[in-house]
Amino acid sequence: MTKKSAKRAVSTFADLPELIAEETATTDFEASFGDPMPLSIIEQGDEPGEHTMPEPFAAQKVCGELMTSLFLLLEDTRLSPLAPDIAWGIVNSFHFVAGKQERREDRLTDIIRDMTRRMEPGEVFNETLESKQLECQSVTEQRVAIEAMRDYTAAMYRACWRRAWAPTKGSKASSVTTASYISAVDFLRERALAKRERVDPQGPVVIFSGPAIWHDWEPLWAKLSEIKARIPHMTLVTTGQRKGADAIAAAWAAREGVPIVAFGLYGGGKKPAFARNKKFAELGPVEAVLCEGSGIQANLYQTMRKLDVPIHAFHWPKDMPKRQKPHTIYTWEAEDYLQRSDTFRSARRYA
């Protein structure tokens, strides 16, 4: 339990569990802040020194208050629509700094690797090598701490605004508090090299695609939860949109701790979207959840059918006003197939 300046009064033994919970940081913060190295180098060129870390509970409390204070301040005001964008920027600032530290960590690792290959006798060389090793360890400690703060603010972002935080580009490695969010570029690169790193989730691929205008989230969450019950180690692959059906799926993945691979569009026009559908087929998906939308969803629907992939298809919600629908709505064909898709085709097991 960490120290606090103010203590809440405890009148009965029943109050103790609640007090302990309030005064104790989560495992992530305890691991990242609770046991700092005896010596560290916090700036390049500095001498090793005894530097303290923020207390775990204090760090977690501040991260939580950043989000909740903003939410309470702007909710139900004319600034309310801007709050999610501001909050997203707060989380992204932690992500940006963590990324800088990771790149610095990589550079130091390369220097250390090069030095170990050309070991030289003498105290100067050994002192330089030890200094670089300590600096690299210090940078790693800083990165892990910032990532813990990022992940917690991302979890609070989702709790306040019911949206899953994701970076505009690149990947966010997995943690206890939030699921992995992996860019398609990283995913394909790591798969091609057969690496088993944080950005190469191991598990059956489930494809998800839908239009940018979609509000009916409950049936989608129910279906995704049903699939996860059959395939506990699934990886969700989406078309990477930040709103609509994809945002609903991303929020579900963050809630359930399911790694998500975002295949954004690279290039202009419509051709990249159809090329992306072919990439989906190459991933060997075991199931697909598709929402009725434009010709892109229609093409993906046909692609999955040709591969005999079980499809869970969702029509446009009946109560959705026509003016909200895209101009190029594709009406699903083979109505009898759609009626049967959620029954006998879902009976196949991939767990």
Side-chain angles (χ1 to χ4, degrees):
M1 185 182 298
T2 55
K3 297 178 181 179
K4 285 184 68 180
S5 57
K7 300 290 184 181
R8 181 167 59 82
V10 178
S11 57
T12 65
F13 282 109
D15 294 334
L16 283 175
E18 183 180 353
L19 177 63
I20 292 172
E22 289 179 359
E23 302 263 340
T24 306
T26 60
T27 306
D28 273 3
F29 277 85
E30 287 289 357
S32 303
F33 292 83
D35 188 23
M37 298 188 303
L39 295 176
S40 64
I41 298 176
I42 59 176
E43 292 284 351
Q44 185 175 0
D46 285 355
E47 292 294 324
E50 297 181 2
H51 305 287
T52 60
M53 287 283 280
E55 289 196 5
F57 177 78
Q60 178 178 314
K61 183 172 181 290
V62 168
C63 289
E65 288 176 346
L66 282 173
M67 291 294 158
T68 55
S69 298
L70 182 67
F71 178 81
L72 293 173
L73 175 67
L74 302 184
E75 186 67 6
D76 297 327
T77 71
R78 66 183 65 186
L79 298 181
S80 180
L82 306 178
D85 291 338
I86 299 171
W88 183 92
I90 293 174
V91 183
N92 195 61
S93 64
F94 287 111
H95 182 66
F96 177 78
V97 173
K100 286 180 61 178
Q101 293 303 96
E102 186 172 19
R103 290 188 291 274
R104 182 182 169 194
E105 187 180 350
D106 290 341
R107 290 193 296 270
L108 288 168
T109 301
D110 290 339
I111 293 172
I112 294 169
R113 185 184 297 112
D114 181 64
M115 292 183 71
T116 55
R117 288 172 180 169
R118 55 176 183 84
M119 291 295 293
E120 300 175 5
E123 291 186 7
V124 175
F125 183 88
N126 288 334
E127 288 178 0
T128 303
L129 179 58
E130 290 176 1
S131 177
K132 289 298 179 184
Q133 289 174 331
L134 181 58
E135 184 180 352
C136 187
Q137 292 170 352
S138 302
V139 172
T140 300
E141 184 182 53
Q142 291 174 333
R143 173 184 59 78
V144 171
I146 297 299
E147 285 181 347
M149 298 174 77
R150 175 202 64 190
D151 290 347
Y152 191 72
T153 52
M156 294 298 294
Y157 173 83
R158 176 171 56 85
C160 290
W161 288 279
R162 297 183 181 180
R163 302 184 186 182
W165 182 87
T168 52
K169 61 180 180 179
S171 302
K172 182 179 78 67
S174 62
S175 71
V176 175
T177 44
T178 56
S180 297
Y181 191 94
I182 303 159
S183 74
V185 173
D186 288 340
F187 181 71
L188 293 176
R189 181 189 301 120
E190 296 302 318
R191 264 205 170 189
L193 296 174
K195 289 185 178 178
R196 296 298 179 262
E197 302 294 338
R198 296 185 297 175
V199 293
D200 186 15
Q202 302 300 298
V205 168
V206 175
I207 300 296
F208 183 96
S209 181
I213 301 176
W214 195 280
H215 307 293
D216 197 10
W217 61 273
E218 291 179 325
L220 301 183
W221 277 34
K223 179 56 62 180
L224 289 169
S225 297
E226 177 188 312
I227 295 172
K228 184 176 183 290
R230 293 195 307 274
I231 314 172
H233 304 295
M234 63 178 281
T235 293
L236 189 66
V237 176
T238 76
T239 48
Q241 298 184 87
R242 296 179 61 83
K243 57 184 179 179
D246 281 357
I248 292 171
W252 173 86
R255 177 176 177 267
E256 298 294 330
V258 172
I260 183 169
V261 178
F263 266 74
L265 288 179
Y266 305 99
K270 292 185 177 181
K271 287 185 179 180
F274 295 104
R276 176 180 58 190
N277 289 349
K278 292 181 180 179
K279 289 288 185 182
F280 284 164
E282 295 171 3
L283 296 176
V286 297
E287 295 193 40
V289 179
L290 306 178
C291 301
E292 184 178 7
S294 66
I296 296 171
Q297 277 78 39
N299 176 264
L300 182 57
Y301 176 86
Q302 297 297 336
T303 301
M304 294 295 104
R305 284 192 64 181
K306 290 178 182 178
L307 295 175
D308 198 33
V309 174
I311 301 173
H312 308 281
F314 288 85
H315 286 286
W316 284 95
K318 295 180 180 179
D319 59 348
M320 180 177 287
K322 291 183 178 180
R323 62 182 176 81
Q324 291 187 10
K325 300 179 181 179
H327 295 298
T328 56
I329 296 175
Y330 174 84
T331 303
W332 297 113
E333 296 176 350
E335 189 71 26
D336 59 331
Y337 176 84
L338 290 175
Q339 295 298 326
R340 294 181 293 133
S341 64
D342 282 351
T343 55
F344 80 90
R345 294 185 66 80
S346 294
R348 296 168 62 179
R349 296 293 185 263
Y350 296 92

